[in-house]
Amino acid sequence: MAAGYMIGNITITDPETFAEYGKRVPETVAAFGGTYVVRGGTPEKIEGDYEPKRIVVLQFESVEKAKEWYNSEMYAPLKEMRMKASSGDLYFVEGV
């Protein structure tokens, strides 16, 4: 089974609320066997027109497990918090 990833490009609109989200979310990721591969940092564009903001990459044992975490009751209140404190794009993708 291939690893599953959740990739996000996030623009923070409420830093204080997002900081609280950032403190609380790792526990939920770990509860579903996920780990952070990338969490923030400064992206350096080398080609193309895409303008990344805050990049996040989570790794799970499968895309199905990533979706289980994202749709879980445990993550639901934090998802709402993130949506109020940021905007952006999220993707599920299967690894190799």
Side-chain angles (χ1 to χ4, degrees):
M1 181 182 304
Y5 297 87
M6 196 276 323
I7 301 172
N9 179 35
I10 307 297
T11 300
I12 298 170
T13 56
D14 178 347
E16 186 175 304
T17 301
F18 197 86
E20 181 62 27
Y21 165 83
K23 291 177 191 172
R24 296 172 55 189
V25 73
E27 179 181 355
T28 70
V29 172
F32 288 82
T35 58
Y36 283 89
V37 178
V38 176
R39 188 177 187 195
T42 304
E44 179 182 347
K45 181 171 71 169
I46 57 172
E47 291 185 21
D49 297 323
Y50 176 70
E51 293 295 334
K53 303 295 182 202
R54 177 182 173 82
I55 303 296
V56 176
V57 179
L58 302 177
Q59 181 179 6
F60 293 87
E61 67 183 42
S62 65
V63 169
E64 290 74 22
K65 197 69 168 177
K67 289 178 180 179
E68 187 180 322
W69 163 76
Y70 181 79
N71 294 310
S72 71
E73 288 183 24
M74 184 180 202
Y75 181 57
L78 295 177
K79 184 189 323 183
E80 185 176 322
M81 180 185 288
R82 178 186 48 77
M83 290 177 165
K84 288 180 181 178
S86 66
S87 63
D89 302 301
L90 299 178
Y91 306 91
F92 292 117
V93 64
E94 189 173 278
V96 293

